[in-house]
Amino acid sequence: QVQLVESGGGSVQAGGSLTLSCAAGRYTYKRNCMGWFRQRPGKDREGVAVLWIGGATTTYADSVRGRFIITRDKAKDLVYLQMNGLKPEDTAMYYCAASLNPYGCSLVLREYNYWGQGTQVTVS
């Protein structure tokens, strides 16, 4: 069972930056993709950024491309989401997720097998 724990959320003014972290606990299955998703108030959960662990290939939602960066620290087994130029519409609960899909990574929620509890980001 993969355990994912997010941290780094908080409140920030528009134009500011935050970096979220995701720690994966003890696991027994191979994760191929790690991703960040968010659920904005009154909206469905959506993909934000994902990373293919094997080759570090990344995919971003159009709404965040050029502002957000997903990275991984292999030694620490941490995945980060650096968020720059934050906008009020980025306000959401942000979730870390892991996929076992061996064929590639996408922003599609149903491809992700494990989820964290989320961390709140509020932009005013």
Side-chain angles (χ1 to χ4, degrees), residues 11-91:
S11 297
V12 64
Q13 291 188 336
S17 298
L18 278 175
T19 298
L20 306 182
S21 301
C22 174
R26 184 177 302 174
Y27 63 94
T28 58
Y29 297 100
K30 178 176 172 57
R31 295 166 287 141
N32 291 308
C33 304
M34 293 294 296
W36 287 96
F37 295 77
R38 69 184 181 187
Q39 188 159 13
R40 295 183 281 182
K43 303 287 187 180
D44 293 333
R45 194 173 298 189
E46 61 183 354
V48 174
V50 297
L51 177 146
W52 172 257
I53 290 178
T57 302
T58 56
T59 301
Y60 295 93
D62 290 343
S63 58
V64 306
R65 187 176 295 112
R67 299 188 297 123
F68 291 11
I69 302 171
I70 184 171
T71 56
R72 179 178 179 240
D73 184 326
K74 183 177 180 180
K76 297 180 180 179
D77 202 9
L78 291 172
V79 175
Y80 301 101
L81 183 68
Q82 180 180 340
M83 305 185 293
N84 303 312
L86 283 162
K87 305 175 181 179
E89 52 263 43
D90 294 318
T91 294

Side-chain angles (χ1 to χ4, degrees), residues 88-107:
E89 52 263 43
D90 294 318
T91 294
M93 184 71 78
Y94 283 74
Y95 298 91
C96 178
S99 169
L100 309 179
N101 187 354
Y103 303 111
C105 305
S106 77
L107 297 171

